[in-house]
């Protein structure tokens, strides 16, 4: 190959790499400042909510529910600032999710200090699952998904961004689900932890749309069991000696032992 052709190839490669770096930097700057892409903004403690529809009573009540749940979680840090982007249309959500190379039809994600919530898809899933089982990520609750995504942020703050990424999925997703439900579900008649374990085990409660997040449901219960029943601290729960299989078996044995007593 002549020197001129090799030079040309390198020039083009350099240009392509340059464009890719520029696009990555642009994506990071958009995802770090999502507020400029929303018309509405309101502060709720250390959480700034952005929305593309007027923020009124509906958002106020969503946020009071979110904060109620967060406040009951040991690792929640009220001084840590977060953004919560409530995207009311799929188009708005896709604008951000595309920058992360994620699928567009997901309920939400958390990145660079912001949580993004896909209200359109959450509503669709609520219709598909009929809101059942209650306290499942797919029940159709914006409060649920918003709290879950914010929990990912607080988890990364506490455990370290990269360290938290290396944790097994059942622990990170389970902890976020624990954060969403452990304070409110047991106060709801018919949804104590033992009753939710029974719901998990009962196939008739799970239609096809709900089934996909059945693992998240039980991971949340396993975390609730470890923290609220076994009284383990956050660091103990995240330790490698606490495994998925052992925790699940212990939780089921515990549930059966209560049945035996009654
Ligand atoms: Zn998650």
């Amino acid at each position: 190959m002549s020197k001129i052709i090799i030079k040309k190839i390198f020039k083009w490669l350099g240009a392509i790499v340059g464009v890719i770096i520029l696009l990555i930097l642009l994506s990071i700057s958009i995802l770090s400042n999502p507020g400029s892409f929303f018309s509405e903004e309101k502060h709720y403690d250390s959480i700034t909510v952005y929305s593309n529809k007027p923020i009124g009573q509906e958002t106020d009540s969503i946020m009071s529910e979110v904060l109620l749940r967060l406040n009951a979680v040991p690792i929640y840090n009220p001084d840590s600032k977060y953004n919560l982007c409530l995207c009311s249309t799929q188009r708005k959500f896709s604008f951000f999710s595309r920058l992360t190379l994620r699928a567009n039809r997901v309920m939400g994600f958390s990145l660079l200090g912001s949580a993004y919530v896909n209200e359109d898809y959450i509503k669709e899933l609520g219709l598909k699952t009929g809101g059942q089982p209650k306290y499942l990520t797919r029940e159709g609750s914006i409060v649920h998904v918003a709290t879950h995504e914010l929990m990912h942020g607080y988890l990364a703050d506490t455990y370290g961004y990269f360290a938290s990424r290396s944790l097994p999925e059942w622990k990170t997703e389970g902890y976020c689900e624990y954060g969403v439900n452990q304070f409110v579900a047991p106060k709801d008649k018919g949804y104590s932890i033992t009753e939710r374990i029974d719901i998990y085990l009962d196939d008739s409660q799970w239609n096809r749309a709900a089934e996909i997040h059945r693992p998240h449901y039980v991971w949340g219960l396993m975390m609730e069991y470890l923290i609220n029943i076994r009284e383990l601290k956050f660091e103990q729960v995240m330790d490698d000696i606490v495994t998925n299989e052992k925790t699940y078996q212990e939780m089921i044995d515990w549930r059966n032992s209560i049945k035996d007593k009654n």
Side-chain angles (χ1 to χ4, degrees):
M1 226 184 291
S2 79
K3 269 188 182 165
I4 299 170
I5 294 179
I6 293 174
K7 248 188 178 175
K8 265 193 178 167
I9 290 174
F10 269 101
K11 221 174 155 185
W12 274 107
L13 279 177
I16 290 167
V17 170
V19 168
I20 290 173
I21 291 173
L22 259 176
L23 286 174
I24 292 172
L25 289 176
L26 184 70
S27 300
I28 291 173
S29 85
I30 292 173
L31 290 163
S32 308
N33 298 290
S36 17
F37 299 89
F38 291 93
S39 55
E40 304 286 324
E41 172 185 339
K42 189 170 174 180
H43 297 273
Y44 296 87
D45 292 349
S46 58
I47 299 171
T48 306
V49 171
Y50 295 111
S51 175
N52 49 320
K53 59 179 192 195
I55 294 179
Q57 239 177 13
E58 195 191 339
T59 314
D60 289 351
S61 86
I62 287 173
M63 287 314 292
S64 76
E65 289 280 323
V66 167
L67 288 165
L68 184 77
R69 285 159 170 77
L70 290 177
N71 271 308
V73 177
I75 66 160
Y76 167 61
N77 178 5
D79 298 324
S80 186
K81 286 189 165 39
Y82 269 91
N83 299 320
L84 175 63
C85 303
L86 298 175
C87 307
S88 67
T89 62
Q90 180 59 51
R91 211 183 135 131
K92 196 76 184 170
F93 183 80
S94 300
F95 171 73
F96 297 105
S97 67
R98 255 188 222 127
L99 299 174
T100 71
L101 306 179
R102 274 181 177 79
N104 295 326
R105 230 37 196 156
V106 294
M107 291 180 285
F109 67 93
S110 169
L111 194 71
L112 299 169
S114 298
Y116 299 83
V117 170
N118 186 352
E119 294 188 352
D120 181 67
Y121 188 47
I122 294 167
K123 278 177 196 154
E124 185 194 309
L125 287 175
L127 292 174
K128 280 189 176 163
T129 60
Q132 296 297 324
K134 215 171 157 188
Y135 301 106
L136 171 72
T137 49
R138 297 191 136 199
E139 68 174 313
S141 160
I142 291 163
V143 170
H144 190 130
V145 179
T147 314
H148 178 109
E149 295 308 332
L150 287 164
M151 281 293 307
H152 274 296
Y154 297 113
L155 187 65
D157 282 351
T158 309
Y159 203 72
Y161 181 78
F162 291 107
S164 68
R165 295 231 146 191
S166 67
L167 284 168
E169 190 187 11
W170 78 271
K171 283 191 182 175
T172 49
E173 294 304 325
Y175 199 88
C176 293
E177 283 302 284
Y178 154 82
V180 173
N181 295 321
Q182 60 101 20
F183 185 66
V184 286
K187 294 185 174 68
D188 196 349
K189 211 175 163 290
Y191 293 97
S192 68
I193 180 166
T194 50
E195 284 160 326
R196 276 176 290 142
I197 293 171
D198 295 344
I199 290 170
Y200 168 72
L201 295 169
D202 180 0
D203 287 338
S204 72
Q205 308 242 14
W206 298 83
N207 75 14
R208 260 220 319 229
E211 184 72 35
I212 293 168
H213 278 90
R214 201 169 174 177
H216 286 67
Y217 188 89
V218 76
W219 295 336
L221 291 173
M222 283 152 70
M223 277 293 154
E224 196 169 320
Y225 166 75
L226 289 171
I227 298 164
N228 293 3
I229 309 294
R230 295 266 316 278
E231 296 182 345
L232 296 193
K233 298 267 168 288
F234 176 74
E235 295 75 22
Q236 294 175 299
V237 167
M238 295 305 164
D239 194 285
D240 289 343
I241 55 164
V242 175
T243 64
N244 187 336
E245 295 73 22
K246 224 168 79 185
T247 306
Y248 178 77
Q249 202 47 56
E250 273 177 28
M251 183 183 77
I252 297 293
D253 291 346
W254 169 77
R255 202 282 165 258
N256 289 334
S257 73
I258 294 172
K259 246 185 231 163
D260 296 344
K261 272 185 223 153
N262 292 340

